[in-house]
Amino acid sequence: MNRAPGTGSPAVAEAARFASEVRGRAAAWDREGGLPAGVLKEAAAAGLLGAGIPERFGGQGVTPAELGEICAHLGGVCSALRGLVTVQGMVAAALHRWGTGEQRARWLPALAGGELTAGFAATEEAAGSALSAVRTRIEDAGDGEHVTVTGHKKWITFGQVAQVLLVLGQDKGKPAAVVVEADREGVSREPVGGQLGMRAAQIAHIGLDAVRVPRTNLVAPSGLGLSHVAGTALDHGRFTVAWGCVGMAEACVEDATAHAAARTQGGEALAGHQSVRALLAKAAVETAGARELARRAAEFRSGGAPGSVTETIVAKYAAAAAAASASSTAVQVLGSAGCEPDSRAGRHFRDAKVMEIIEGAQQVAELHIAEQLMRRHAGRGPAPASPAAEVRA
Amino acid sequence: MNDITREITEFLSAALRSEVGPDDDYFALGLADSLFALELVTFVESRFSLTVEVEDLDLESFRTANRITRFVQRKTGSPEFTENR
């Protein structure tokens, strides 16, 4: 399927060039479990880390549609690289949206230029989909100027290298968000390796042992750390993950089709078999559908339309499913070549499964999407008395 | 009820699938989930052409339709606040 128009912006062209240049290195990053430090610098120099940050803070100020295309190019090559752009963008989006003028001026230019790498430290052992259950404590340090942050964060993307962490915790029982610089005393990192996917994303569990940070690092008033600060970060994350999945699915359709056309068995090309063509057609249509939903989410976002949160969830849901399906097809069509070490299709297959879990598992997205349906079609009244009433309505 | 309050109660009632009156505290009633907070901010911003800044963020100002109305009037009544995105 052809890429949509509007891909001619310089920022998107630069991302395409970068993606094609590093394409051959992504398998080694996956095998070795990380992006070399030089790649982070190259990505920063290419402007990828600050793509979505406004120009007045040193970013490129691209539109949502352009940011989407950038993530599709990167996702088609390496989900960990796309994840780097996602995480940096999530933290920047939250700080831009809910930071004070002073906080924006302090962190956004450094995030845009890549002098600082960000981590989003929300999830914990007992708080995955249900982030309101986080137990990390943000407490008054007693001097009026500092707070201490204590807790244990799990599965933090680029947590091995992040220099600033946006941490979600509880302040006297209210959800609160705080920026913790990773070089402060009491921050420890436990690298995670060998997990199913996103192996180059330098994931870490992060310990916070009474880490003392200035009160000026608190982002937004207590009580709004989850709904507003983390909410904005996750909304941004879902958008870039959706587009990364679109790119991954497109790459899988291309690889599977090229292989099916070139590979012969018993004197016939694989593509000569109806069953193989059916696999390719199904994957291509799911992928094209996901692209259109991602494009629609970009339109909602650029207009600031109230439905943008939901449209983004719909796009992420469809795109993660398309990536999982197309990558499964690609491995199937490639056969042993899809299973061998360093197989691109195999890597996408593992990464795509992770995409069905992070930034809101598919089942959580379904709950929200169905709730939107209820708003439109189920009428209203007093809160429903029982689940059965909801089903009937 | 003025037009702003009417629009806000209409949005809240539709979004929360429950009749919400101008002084109902829908957060306390347990009607709102965490995604709803951002939807509400986006609705208020796009419908009344204003920007909610961190300085405005205070659960109290968004707790009821009447309070949101006062917030909107305060924001749109002061020209220096209307186009500061």
Side-chain angles (χ1 to χ4, degrees):
Chain A
M1 301 277 155
N2 293 325
R3 292 205 184 270
T7 54
S9 96
V12 175
E14 178 64 6
R17 180 202 63 77
F18 189 85
S20 110
E21 204 174 282
V22 301
R23 189 175 161 92
R25 293 148 70 186
W29 299 341
D30 187 72
R31 193 185 335 112
E32 289 156 17
L35 302 180
V39 174
L40 268 66
K41 287 205 180 80
E42 288 171 44
L48 297 174
L49 300 186
I53 297 175
E55 286 174 291
R56 71 175 185 283
F57 293 112
Q60 301 203 66
V62 301
T63 64
E66 288 168 338
L67 180 62
E69 294 292 346
I70 288 169
C71 290
H73 281 298
L74 300 179
V77 165
C78 173
S79 283
L81 182 60
R82 193 272 312 143
L84 177 71
V85 172
T86 288
V87 173
Q88 194 87 350
M90 286 169 75
V91 173
L95 290 173
H96 182 248
R97 189 71 180 81
W98 301 120
T100 59
E102 191 265 337
Q103 289 173 332
R104 290 175 187 162
R106 183 161 145 215
W107 285 308
L108 290 180
L111 290 172
E115 291 94 47
L116 282 181
T117 311
F120 178 62
T123 43
E124 299 177 4
E125 177 65 36
S129 293
L131 280 177
S132 55
V134 291
R135 289 185 191 150
T136 293
R137 300 190 313 273
I138 301 173
E139 294 165 311
D140 188 37
D143 63 357
E145 289 178 16
H146 293 81
V147 292
T148 57
V149 185
T150 305
H152 197 240
K153 295 297 182 180
K154 295 201 82 169
W155 298 106
I156 310 310
T157 301
F158 288 99
Q160 293 177 31
V161 293
Q163 290 142 308
V164 285
L165 302 164
L166 180 60
V167 175
L168 178 67
Q170 304 273 357
D171 172 9
K172 298 193 193 84
K174 291 179 178 174
V178 63
V179 174
V180 175
E181 293 89 347
D183 58 359
R184 288 187 184 273
E185 200 179 326
V187 177
S188 57
R189 316 179 198 243
E190 179 195 335
V192 177
Q195 73 277 11
L196 177 67
M198 295 290 278
R199 289 185 178 171
Q202 285 153 287
I203 291 169
H205 302 327
I206 293 185
L208 301 161
D209 181 10
V211 183
R212 204 175 147 85
V213 297
R215 285 199 158 271
T216 50
N217 280 24
L218 289 165
V219 184
S222 288
L224 304 170
L226 175 56
S227 57
H228 292 67
V229 184
T232 296
L234 288 165
D235 172 58
H236 185 91
R238 283 189 286 265
F239 181 69
T240 55
V241 167
W243 276 98
C245 287
V246 167
M248 205 184 332
E250 288 174 341
C252 288
V253 169
E254 283 175 32
D255 280 359
T257 307
H259 184 85
R263 172 83 168 164
T264 58
Q265 285 287 281
E268 182 157 19
L270 296 185
H273 298 286
Q274 281 190 355
S275 56
V276 173
R277 288 193 173 222
L279 283 175
L280 296 175
K282 184 166 175 284
V285 172
E286 284 170 349
T287 301
R291 173 173 275 277
E292 285 308 302
L293 288 170
R295 195 188 51 70
R296 180 178 151 92
E299 264 175 30
F300 268 75
R301 298 175 79 84
S302 61
S308 65
V309 173
T310 296
E311 291 302 327
T312 300
I313 290 173
V314 169
K316 190 267 172 181
Y317 174 75
S325 166
S327 60
S328 169
T329 290
V331 171
Q332 192 68 29
V333 171
L334 266 74
S336 60
C339 299
E340 68 188 5
D342 289 353
S343 154
R344 182 160 58 219
R347 174 164 51 85
H348 286 324
F349 177 68
R350 289 184 286 104
D351 289 343
K353 187 68 222 173
V354 176
M355 297 308 124
E356 291 192 301
I357 296 168
I358 61 167
E359 252 78 306
Q362 296 299 80
Q363 291 69 25
V364 176
E366 285 166 352
L367 287 179
H368 181 79
I369 295 165
E371 179 58 31
Q372 300 298 312
L373 285 178
M374 304 284 280
R375 284 188 195 178
R376 246 181 287 158
H377 305 299
R380 66 180 83 142
S386 69
E390 287 203 42
V391 171
R392 266 203 317 276
Chain B
M1 207 190 304
N2 68 31
D3 285 349
I4 298 177
T5 313
R6 200 183 332 273
E7 278 198 55
I8 293 167
T9 50
E10 184 53 34
F11 173 81
L12 293 172
S13 299
L16 302 172
R17 295 200 291 119
S18 189
E19 290 301 337
V20 175
D23 285 313
D24 286 344
D25 182 340
Y26 47 90
F27 281 110
L29 292 171
L31 292 172
D33 65 13
S34 64
L35 279 169
F36 174 74
L38 268 193
E39 289 181 304
L40 175 60
V41 167
T42 318
F43 166 74
V44 169
E45 288 186 328
S46 73
R47 176 60 194 85
F48 302 106
S49 304
L50 54 83
T51 302
V52 180
E53 302 279 347
V54 69
E55 292 79 8
D56 306 318
L57 264 194
D58 166 4
L59 267 185
E60 296 304 313
S61 355
F62 284 85
R63 206 169 262 291
T64 69
N66 271 336
R67 289 183 183 206
I68 298 172
T69 304
R70 286 199 289 278
F71 168 76
V72 168
Q73 285 168 334
R74 181 161 56 80
K75 287 291 269 192
T76 52
S78 312
E80 70 267 26
F81 281 126
T82 51
E83 290 292 338
N84 59 353
R85 186 184 274 277

